[in-house]
Amino acid sequence: MSRPSRFFATPSQGFAPNMNETVTVLIDALPYVLQGAAVTVTAVVGAMFLGLFIGVPLAVGQVYGRGPVRMLCDTYVWFFRGVPILVLLFLFYFGLFTYFGLNLNAVGAATIVLGMTSGAYQSQIFRGSILSLSKGQLKAARALGMSDGLAIRSIILPQALRLSIPGWSNEYSILLKDSALAFVLGASEIMARTHFVASRTYKHLPLYLTAAVLYFLLTWAGVAALRALEKRVRIKGYVQ
């Protein structure tokens, strides 16, 4: 992460109650912090899609899998839902990734860990959507000669994914807030850049308030996009 020299200040400069100086610091810092916002969005979107690809098979395994498959899926879900994100970040970045020789940067590692954790939570969203569908649909597909796998892919999952979009809005908001913990790995996201500037200009309150506003705007934009997607894929007259 680049560290612009213009953000260095002495304590006496920082504590001076000068509104013009505060505004100048915010104006200078905003482009730098916005670069961190781009990193945050990249990590969150990547984690959402990774969670999607992990969560769907987990949900199918939990609902339709046999004993060993279901137990394996349950174990994955319980582990990633039961261990704090901060612990998982340290466990994988400094532990497992290093042990297996995976040379990942902080952002990539955080995206993978957030994605694996999101997969556990998204699986429960998908599982609830699958269980909300009528069991008669699968029976009807079997009566038409379809295999269970084909019926699940062609009939069950398209409906379940559509019903899961409201749950994704909540998961997106949670992931966005959890992404701030990537700061502890040295990822150059919003919090890391904000903390860097605040610790050198001593303008903690306005800078962290700016970061809070950025997180709020990113949350609002993501939820609004998912609501627009929900309306776009909604089938008129569809009754679950």
Side-chain angles (χ1 to χ4, degrees):
M1 179 175 63
S2 59
R3 304 192 172 194
S5 59
R6 68 177 182 276
F7 294 135
F8 284 84
T10 64
S12 59
Q13 291 175 323
F15 287 112
N18 189 327
M19 181 60 70
N20 291 333
E21 181 182 349
T22 300
V23 172
T24 300
V25 168
L26 289 176
I27 292 175
D28 288 341
L30 189 58
Y32 180 69
V33 176
L34 285 177
Q35 292 175 12
V39 174
T40 295
V41 171
T42 301
V44 171
V45 172
M48 280 285 290
F49 278 104
L50 179 58
L52 171 65
F53 287 112
I54 294 175
V56 170
L58 285 176
V60 173
Q62 286 186 302
V63 176
Y64 300 109
R66 298 183 181 275
V69 173
R70 187 175 301 174
M71 184 175 66
L72 184 62
C73 294
D74 288 341
T75 301
Y76 181 98
V77 171
W78 278 107
F79 176 78
F80 281 95
R81 293 178 70 188
V83 180
I85 289 287
L86 186 59
V87 176
L88 290 171
L89 287 171
F90 282 125
L91 173 64
F92 279 88
Y93 186 62
F94 296 109
L96 293 176
F97 290 159
T98 302
Y99 179 79
F100 288 107
L102 299 177
N103 187 20
L104 298 173
N105 59 32
V107 176
T111 301
I112 292 174
V113 174
L114 289 172
M116 290 190 297
T117 305
S118 178
Y121 285 95
Q122 288 193 49
S123 70
Q124 301 311 289
I125 298 173
F126 303 138
R127 185 170 73 93
S129 298
I130 292 172
L131 292 175
S132 70
L133 298 173
S134 172
K135 295 181 179 179
Q137 296 190 40
L138 188 59
K139 294 179 181 179
R142 289 169 178 165
L144 293 173
M146 298 178 68
S147 65
D148 286 357
L150 180 59
I152 292 170
R153 291 194 306 271
S154 304
I155 299 175
I156 303 299
L157 284 183
Q159 298 178 77
L161 292 175
R162 186 182 297 113
L163 294 173
S164 297
I165 295 177
W168 284 347
S169 299
N170 186 55
E171 179 62 17
Y172 167 80
S173 301
I174 294 172
L175 264 181
L176 181 61
K177 288 180 284 188
D178 286 345
S179 70
L181 292 173
F183 160 62
V184 301
L185 302 183
S188 57
E189 41 74 67
I190 294 175
M191 277 305 301
R193 291 171 180 263
T194 302
H195 178 73
F196 173 80
V197 179
S199 65
R200 284 153 178 79
T201 62
Y202 303 96
K203 303 297 182 182
H204 297 89
L205 178 59
L207 284 165
Y208 287 125
L209 183 59
T210 301
V213 170
L214 282 176
Y215 278 112
F216 174 81
L217 292 176
L218 290 175
T219 301
W220 175 82
V223 171
L226 287 170
R227 286 179 178 173
L229 176 63
E230 181 184 2
K231 292 180 180 179
R232 184 176 182 84
V233 301
R234 181 181 298 160
I235 299 176
K236 294 182 179 180
Y238 174 79
V239 179
Q240 184 182 335

